[in-house]
Amino acid sequence: MTAPLHLALDWADWLDLLGHFLQMSLMSVGGAISTSSEMHRFLVEQHHWLTQEQFNQSIALAQAAPGPNVLFVALMGWYVGMNGGSTAAALFGVLVTMVGIMTPSTIITYTAARWGHRNRDLRAVRAFKQGMAPIVIALLLSTAWIMASSAGAGVSAGAGVSAGAGAAAPIASAVLANWPLWLAAVVSGLIIWRTRIHLLWLLAAGAVLGALGLI
């Protein structure tokens, strides 16, 4: 268990947080979840405003709870504020992160959707929609890699290793050390692909396996 964080956030930090989430909103092709790898780099690795556990919990809780999964952004803002030492700061963190992630993408999506609907038969529009699919898949896979790798040695464990062959060793060892987690991920993916079982059952099964210490 990672030690709790005790942050001293000033207005410059809050503006930095808002500005970065405004930028990530413009990158959120396929939804805010597709930018979570960049959120991890910014919040966990660069500024150390969140622990790895808080980052994972934000995504897991938002996926399990009813409603849009963009709620994980609100949870990240909440945790940043709570690490700052007060409930008021946590509520302010929710406001900052949600305004940042929602405002640019909402405006662009609304404008682009209207234009795309009017021009939906254009070849360029159809090609653009098809071309975005692999990009979204790649962004989601990067999120899955970060969350799964961080369970053991974690992605951050190899952060100090230089790029190249030397950087592959700690990642490979983390995968081998946590093979039950990776096996559960692969099996879950196959179940989602080949069946119509509700995701909540898989989330519940994962919670039980985690509580029993099996993954």
Side-chain angles (χ1 to χ4, degrees):
M1 181 68 68
T2 304
L5 299 177
H6 301 285
L7 307 177
L9 300 171
D10 55 25
W11 285 109
D13 293 322
W14 289 114
L15 288 174
D16 189 20
L17 181 65
L18 174 63
H20 204 78
F21 271 77
L22 287 170
Q23 295 176 45
M24 285 189 289
S25 180
L26 299 175
M27 299 165 49
S28 57
V29 179
I33 191 69
S34 65
T35 63
S36 54
S37 57
E38 172 60 19
M39 294 179 189
H40 180 274
R41 184 199 66 78
F42 180 76
L43 296 172
V44 180
E45 297 179 7
Q46 179 177 335
H47 288 289
H48 306 288
W49 287 343
L50 292 182
T51 65
Q52 184 63 58
E53 287 80 3
Q54 288 173 334
F55 181 86
N56 287 355
Q57 288 169 10
S58 297
I59 295 180
L61 289 173
Q63 293 292 335
N69 62 13
V70 74
L71 292 176
F72 81 92
V73 175
L75 286 171
M76 289 182 184
W78 173 270
Y79 280 130
V80 170
M82 289 302 293
N83 291 337
S86 70
T87 303
L91 293 173
F92 187 66
V94 172
L95 176 65
V96 168
T97 53
M98 289 301 290
V99 168
I101 203 67
M102 293 295 294
T103 303
S105 58
T106 299
I107 295 172
I108 292 175
T109 299
Y110 176 74
T111 304
R114 293 187 63 187
W115 183 87
H117 181 72
R118 290 196 304 268
N119 300 277
R120 59 187 177 276
D121 295 326
L122 291 178
R123 182 178 181 181
V125 173
R126 290 184 281 113
F128 175 79
K129 292 179 179 179
Q130 293 177 357
M132 293 305 294
I135 296 177
V136 173
I137 293 172
L139 290 170
L140 294 175
L141 287 175
S142 68
T143 300
W145 176 265
I146 286 175
M147 293 189 67
S149 298
S150 64
V155 172
S156 59
V161 182
S162 59
I171 295 177
S173 62
V175 172
L176 294 175
N178 294 277
W179 67 265
L181 182 66
W182 289 99
L183 178 62
V186 172
V187 171
S188 298
L190 291 174
I191 292 174
I192 294 171
W193 176 37
R194 302 298 297 178
T195 73
R196 295 185 178 181
I197 189 172
H198 200 285
L199 290 178
L200 288 179
W201 289 111
L202 295 177
L203 290 170
V208 171
L209 292 175
L212 295 176
L214 299 177
I215 59 174

